[in-house]
Structure formats: structure tokens, C-alpha cells
Amino acid sequence: MGVFAFLPAYILFSKFKGRETNSAKVTTMYTLVSFIEWFSAGITSYVIIHLTGIDVPFPAAIGTFVLAAVAGLISLVPGGLGSFDLVYIIGLTSYGIDKGTVLSALLLYRLCYYLIPFGIGLIMAAFEMAGVVMKNIEENRVVRQTMEAGGVLWTFQRSILSKLGYWSLSVLIFFGGVLTILYMVMPIDEDLDLFIRSFSPGWFTVLSDAITLGCGIALILSARGIYRRTKRAYNMSIQALAGAAFFSVAASFTFNLAVVLVLIGIVLFLLRNKFNRQRSVMTIPSLIGYLLLLILLEYVYYNLAIIFTWLAEDPELESELTDVVFMPVQQIHWMVAVSALFVIVFFAFSLLLFERKQHGIPGEPPDDGKLEAFLEKHGGHVLSHLGYLGDKQFYFSKDGKTLLQFARVGKRLIVLGDPSGEPESFPGILEDFLEDADRLGYIVVFYQIENDYMYLYHDLGYRFFKLGEEAIIDLSSFTISGKKRAGLRALKNRFDREGYTFELVTPPFDDEWFRELKQVSDAFIGKRKEKGYSLGYFDRHYLEKAPIAILRDSAGKLMAFMSLMPVYREGYLSVDLMRYYPDSPSGIMDAMFIHLFEWAKEKGYRFFNMGMAPLSNVGQSQEAFFSERVAAAIFNNVNYTYSFSGLRRFKDKYSPKWEGKYLAYRKNRSLPGTMLLVTRLIGKRRKQS
């Protein structure tokens, strides 16, 4: 009564104190919340007392709890440890209750009301405090000097601290799954078994137990996704927790497991905003790994259940196990089969349902006007012009100074070349793009990057495969004069004598002229299909974006053409489509190149990019990695519109400077698999127009 008598005085004191933080309203609200917390704790203690078989009136139990709690507060010991326990034991034993029983009830109360909430609090604190702790440590001068001396160790410790919250939450989900599996192994009370059989059909009990077991296994399988912060794993874990809690009650009418799983579900729900990734990539190796783990867990459950069944049949133990019922062997077989099938169906359905709902992809659709304005202002590289094909997404940096072009193939985003734009913004756009792609569950591959920026991809954890080399002609020194170029000079003179004429046509193109162009392209392609992505294809909308060089014979028939490709870099020019009639005179493309080089030189261009020639010896060395040899075989055998064999020899006659082109791929991903996807993207059938 003294405690309650103090309450009005405390509220009045707060009112007259007059401070905002100590007002009577705030004090009353805090008091109400505190009363609810105390009352809930008292109810919890009474329920535990009742479950342990102690027959004590409700007022007596609550009164004992209040006295013990007040004693704990007066002692100023955290949690009232010692003082609360002593008063609680004395109070209940005064009603004639055995000390051992009271002590058991007290331990259960401590477990339910202190240890479990403490564990949950640790998990939530790990998310909230890890960053603060690291910041305070790093800002402390003494500690910072120590860290500098042991920088390697601190790097690992910092990584662990930053991921502590996700580790702990993953462990909690894993613990829920293990607890569910162990719960399904344990026998049930004989009276409860008879009660269940009296109105519940046997098949329903077996089915409910199997689903509960399956949900427990699903929780363990979801733990990795929880650590990786994926929404897909979050949704699956919530469903598995709810399913295990519901069917465990439906099967045996016991609430112990359900309460624990509900508490885990509440923790997971409270931390739902931490799951900012849509999904992690599900590859064939990872699916095989999950399947093997499923088999292992089913095997462990089966053996544990069989061992308990054998123990029940042991003559020495049979007399001591008369009050419980173990699962029959036949039912164990059914449990394993049904639960395994349930897990497979559950995962397949969840994955398909989640994939149907998720349509996110970084960036924005292609926009010719936006691309043109960007390239005019910030510049680009030899592959930037391919953005006009319309088969790639655009991803602009936050400052608008850089651009990535990419296409999606399955769970991979294939970025074409280095970023376009201003180099100082390259690191930022790469980090932002990788973060967005990772959040949406994609793997990023960079195709045809250059030497100059390989360090950026290396710092981001990428490995490299050399695709080939580009031929760069220095136009300032190019000439067909002299003894070394006698062959090129003779070839050009031959075409001039035969009446061939070179012309550069700028868009827009008239219909009749474009039909001539298409006839050449169709004859060149034949029954083969156009490629795309990293190669231009015959499309009027695309071809209208740049001039086209043509060569006509003496009768005025258009025999060959080359579409120019602006590089959006001062002094640079490149070429894209190169088409001619199959029955054209030999050397016709050399004649085209010579005329084009001379024209570009007159127009003030300094360098001409002839395109890439895949190296015939890439991955062919016996010292090369096996994966690189396989990837080289895949790349060099792609059926492009023209053969790569001899391409380097064709370009070498112009004495170019060769610059490497590389594929950047994640170090934990298969190189041959990545190359297959890239070639699949390049080889998609294109509609000619």
C-alpha cells in the first residue's frame, strides 16, 4: 500500500515541477506503461506457477510477485537478481509449497521474462549500436593509434561488427528451425495422444507434423538469405514461422513451440526494414547446395526419430517411459517423405511467386533524345553510339555526368564497356550501380572494358578475361606511299581504274537509296542472323544516326558500304556495319578502308578505331586456367556475321596500335557460364528493317 500511496505524490510533484519532460501528463503515461509491464510480468509468473502444478490463489501469487519486485527495486541490483529471488521463494514456500518446485518456477520465469527478451534485445541493439560503437572507437585518438598498429586485425573486427546484427538474426532463424526439428523428435504425453486420437484423424496429425517439420527445415534453409538481407528470405521465413506455429498447435495442442516461433516472428517483423535487398541470385550450384542440405536435415531427423523409437522399445527403459508415446517407424517414413516434398513445393512456389511480383531493374529505358544530349555535353567512347540500338537500359550517375548501358540476361546485367562521360564520376556510378543491382538480386558483368580503368573493377572485386584487342589507326602517320604500302596503293589504283567511286552519305536517307543499302545487307547476311548488343545491326532508325560510306562500281551499282560510328571523343572515329555483295571483287573492303582513312584524315580526325579482333591464342596456353580455355573456345566459336579467323591479319596490314579489351566478372562466378550468357545476348535474333 505504501507504494501506491506514493503514486499521487509523485504525480503532483511532476505537475508542480513544471518541466516539459517531467510534466504530470508525461509522468502519468510512463506510470501507465510501467503498470502494464509489471502486470504482464505478474501474469507471466502466475501462468508459470500454474503450469508447474503449484496450486496457489491468484491474489497470493500476484502479491508475492509484487513484494519480490519491490525488494528487487530497493536492492538496486540489475533485474533484482538475488533479492527478488529470495523474497519470491520465501513468499511461495510460506503457502506450504515445496522449495524445489518454487525454484523450478522461478528459473522458468527468469528464462521467459529475462533471458529470451535479453537475447532479442541484443539482436536489435546489434543493428542500432554497431555503427555507433565503430564510430566512437575510430574517433578515439588512443584507440585509433592502436588500430593503426594492428590495422589488419581491426579490419576483420570492423567487418564482423558491421554484420553482427545480421549474423545474430540469421542464427535466431536457424535456432528456430533446429528447435522445430527437435520438437518433432520428442515424444508426446500419453493422455494428450489419446485426446488427439479421439477426434482428430490420424492422417491429419501426420500431415500437420510433416508440415511442421518441413517449416523447420525451411527456416534453416532461409538463414543464409536472412544474413544477406533479402526480402525473399524474409517472406519465406515469416511464412515458415507461421506455418510451424499453426500446425504444431493443430497437431498436438501444445503451445510451447508456437510461442517461441511467434516471438522469433515478432523480432523478424520489427526488423523488416533492414531487408533492403530483393533477393540473392539462385544459381544451379546454390540449388544443388540447398538440395543436399535438405537431404542432410531429413537424414538427421530420421536417425534421431529412429533412435528415440528404439529407446522406447528397450526392455530396460520401457518401464520408465510408460507415460509418453513415441512415433512409430512407419509414421517416421511418412514424415520424411511428406516434409521433403513440402519443402520442395514451398520453396518452388515461393520463388515463382516472388519472381512474378518483382519486375525491378536498375536505370531507365533507352531514350534517344536524352542519350544525344548527354553525349554532346559529356562525351563517350567507341561503344557509346550503340545506345541508339534501343536494346539496352540506361543508368545515369547522380550528378548526371556519366552513363552506363546494359542489358539483362537471366539474373545477370551485362554492361557494355566502361562508363560514358566524365572520368571523375566513374567510381561513383560503378558503386551505385553495383549497389542497386545487388539490392535487386542481379550479378553484374562488364563486357569490353579498356585497360585504363581496370583498377576500378579490380577494387570492386572483379576478375578479368581478355576478349581481344582493338586496332587503332594513327591517321596522322597513315599513308599508302612508300615501298611498304605498295600493295595497298596498287589495290586502290585498281579499283580507281575499274571506275569504282567512293561517297559519304549523310542522313536523312531517301527510301530508294536505303533499299539499295538493304539489298547489299541481305546478300551479305544470307541465311545467317543478325547479331546485336555489342554490334550494330541493319536497322533504319539506328543507321540514320550517322553517315554511311559507300562504294559504287562503274555502272553505278552500290557494291559495299560501311556505317560510321561516332566515338564522341575529339579526334576519334570508328566503323560499325561493314557489308558487301558476296560476288564483289577481292579487296573491296580494303579499298573502302583506304578511302575512309583518307577522308577522315582530311576532316581532321587523328585516330580511327577499326574494331576488335578476338585473339586466336587467348586461353590456348597450357599455363592458362582451364576456365579461360573453355571461355575462349566459347567466344571464338560464336557464329558472328563474319568469321574472326584472319581478322587480325586483315587489320595488321595497316600497322595499327592494338589495345586490349576485357571481360570483368565476379571472382566467385563461373567464367564459361558468364561467356555463354554474353554470347547468348549478342546472338539474339534481330529484326531487319
Side-chain angles (χ1 to χ4, degrees), residues 401-412:
K401 295 181 179 180
T402 50
L403 164 67
L404 290 175
Q405 299 180 37
F406 67 95
R408 181 175 67 87
V409 182
K411 299 297 187 296
R412 283 175 171 81

Side-chain angles (χ1 to χ4, degrees), residues 8-9 25 67 200 232 273 283 292 329 358 469 473 497 507 509 631 656 679 681:
K25 180 179 178 181
L67 288 174
S200 177
R232 181 169 63 191
N273 292 331
T283 60
L292 292 176
V329 175
Q358 305 303 321
E469 294 181 338
I473 306 298
R497 286 195 306 271
F509 308 129
T679 53
L681 175 63

Side-chain angles (χ1 to χ4, degrees), residues 160-399:
I160 292 172
L161 278 174
S162 64
K163 299 177 180 178
L164 181 60
Y166 301 106
W167 271 112
S168 57
L169 190 55
S170 179
V171 169
L172 184 64
I173 296 298
F174 184 86
F175 166 76
V178 171
L179 188 64
T180 303
I181 294 175
L182 294 177
Y183 179 83
M184 298 313 301
V185 174
M186 296 293 106
I188 65 173
D189 184 75
E190 187 176 25
D191 294 334
L192 178 61
D193 182 62
L194 292 174
F195 172 72
I196 295 172
R197 290 175 180 273
S198 63
F199 69 89
S200 177
W203 65 266
F204 178 78
T205 302
V206 175
L207 180 62
S208 298
D209 284 341
I211 293 176
T212 304
L213 174 62
C215 288
I217 294 174
L219 286 174
I220 294 177
L221 297 179
S222 301
R224 180 173 177 268
I226 292 296
Y227 170 73
R228 294 177 64 83
R229 315 185 307 279
T230 66
K231 292 182 180 179
R232 181 169 63 191
Y234 168 80
N235 291 336
M236 294 172 67
S237 297
I238 288 291
Q239 294 166 10
L241 287 167
F246 175 79
F247 284 102
S248 64
V249 174
S252 58
F253 292 92
T254 53
F255 295 88
N256 301 356
L257 177 65
V259 169
V260 175
L261 295 178
V262 168
L263 288 175
I264 295 175
I266 291 173
V267 174
L268 199 60
F269 177 76
L270 292 175
L271 296 172
R272 63 190 182 279
N273 292 331
K274 300 295 181 180
F275 296 88
N276 54 5
R277 299 177 65 190
Q278 293 289 345
R279 61 193 173 189
S280 57
V281 178
M282 194 68 68
T283 60
I284 297 298
S286 63
L287 285 174
I288 294 174
Y290 280 120
L291 182 60
L292 292 176
L293 183 55
L294 168 62
I295 294 172
L296 176 63
L297 292 172
E298 293 284 5
Y299 178 78
V300 170
Y301 165 77
Y302 176 81
N303 283 276
L304 287 175
I306 290 295
I307 289 172
F308 273 91
T309 302
W310 287 345
L311 290 175
E313 296 174 354
D314 190 331
E316 297 181 1
L317 298 174
E318 190 173 2
S319 59
E320 300 178 11
L321 300 173
T322 55
D323 296 332
V324 294
V325 177
F326 288 87
M327 193 178 299
V329 175
Q330 185 65 29
Q331 185 174 334
I332 295 174
H333 293 161
W334 277 106
M335 286 277 290
V336 170
V338 175
S339 61
L341 179 62
F342 169 80
V343 172
I344 294 173
V345 173
F346 173 74
F347 264 75
F349 181 78
S350 298
L351 291 175
L352 290 174
L353 184 64
F354 190 85
E355 291 296 326
R356 288 187 62 184
K357 290 183 177 180
Q358 305 303 321
H359 302 287
I361 187 170
E364 58 189 67
D367 184 318
D368 286 1
K370 200 167 184 179
L371 176 63
E372 183 177 358
F374 174 87
L375 294 175
E376 287 181 359
K377 183 175 181 181
H378 302 290
H381 51 68
V382 70
L383 300 172
S384 299
H385 189 74
L386 294 172
Y388 290 112
L389 287 172
D391 59 354
K392 289 171 278 291
Q393 290 279 115
F394 293 167
Y395 186 91
F396 291 93
S397 62
K398 293 177 181 178
D399 59 10

Side-chain angles (χ1 to χ4, degrees), residues 443-689:
I443 301 170
V444 178
V445 177
F446 294 90
Y447 181 69
Q448 290 198 29
I449 64 171
E450 299 178 3
N451 283 311
D452 295 344
Y453 303 107
M454 284 179 66
Y455 69 93
L456 293 175
Y457 307 98
H458 177 272
D459 292 344
L460 294 169
Y462 277 83
R463 288 182 175 177
F464 306 98
F465 171 72
K466 190 170 186 178
L467 297 168
E469 294 181 338
E470 280 185 332
I472 310 296
I473 306 298
D474 186 348
L475 296 177
S476 62
S477 60
F478 174 78
T479 179
I480 59 174
S481 302
K483 189 174 181 180
K484 290 184 178 180
R485 298 295 174 87
L488 293 178
R489 185 169 61 253
L491 186 145
K492 180 177 181 297
N493 292 337
R494 174 167 64 87
F495 276 89
D496 289 343
R497 286 195 306 271
E498 293 177 1
Y500 281 79
T501 57
F502 173 82
E503 182 183 0
L504 197 77
V505 184
T506 57
F509 308 129
D510 64 67
D511 295 341
E512 181 61 31
W513 184 86
F514 198 80
R515 276 194 291 271
E516 286 186 89
L517 214 63
K518 191 174 189 307
Q519 289 175 359
V520 176
S521 179
D522 290 344
F524 177 82
I525 295 295
K527 295 182 178 180
R528 295 169 296 183
K529 64 178 182 179
E530 290 263 38
K531 306 300 178 179
Y533 178 68
S534 62
L535 300 167
Y537 51 87
F538 196 88
D539 176 84
R540 182 161 188 171
H541 171 77
Y542 173 68
L543 293 175
E544 292 271 9
K545 297 295 181 181
I548 296 179
I550 63 173
L551 198 65
R552 295 183 182 274
D553 63 10
S554 57
K557 181 181 178 181
L558 196 155
M559 298 298 294
F561 73 88
M562 289 183 180
S563 66
L564 300 188
M565 188 158 69
V567 179
Y568 305 100
R569 189 181 297 175
E570 186 177 355
Y572 281 80
L573 187 63
S574 185
V575 66
D576 192 7
L577 274 69
M578 295 181 286
R579 307 284 165 89
Y580 56 90
Y581 280 112
D583 58 354
S584 298
S586 62
I588 190 169
M589 298 312 290
D590 282 312
M592 285 283 292
F593 269 119
I594 294 170
H595 280 293
L596 200 52
F597 292 160
E598 292 177 343
W599 172 87
K601 188 175 181 179
E602 290 177 4
K603 294 297 182 181
Y605 289 99
R606 294 182 292 114
F607 300 99
F608 193 99
N609 189 318
M610 296 184 70
M612 189 175 72
L615 300 180
S616 58
N617 62 347
V618 172
Q620 299 302 312
S621 169
Q622 293 299 318
E623 305 300 324
F625 292 114
F626 176 75
S627 60
E628 291 192 351
R629 295 203 297 270
V630 174
I634 293 171
F635 188 70
N636 285 325
N637 286 281
V638 175
N639 181 27
Y640 280 83
T641 53
Y642 49 86
S643 173
F644 282 144
S645 60
L647 191 55
R648 186 181 179 95
R649 291 194 303 273
F650 172 81
K651 297 178 180 181
D652 256 336
K653 67 172 69 79
Y654 299 103
S655 303
K657 175 186 176 184
W658 292 98
E659 296 183 355
K661 286 283 191 174
Y662 298 85
L663 175 83
Y665 64 101
R666 285 293 189 189
K667 58 185 178 182
N668 57 344
R669 300 297 173 185
S670 166
L671 174 58
T674 300
M675 287 304 304
L676 280 172
L677 289 173
V678 172
T679 53
R680 172 185 157 194
L681 175 63
I682 295 171
K684 283 185 177 179
R685 184 173 292 278
R686 312 293 169 182
K687 293 181 180 180
Q688 295 190 40
S689 62

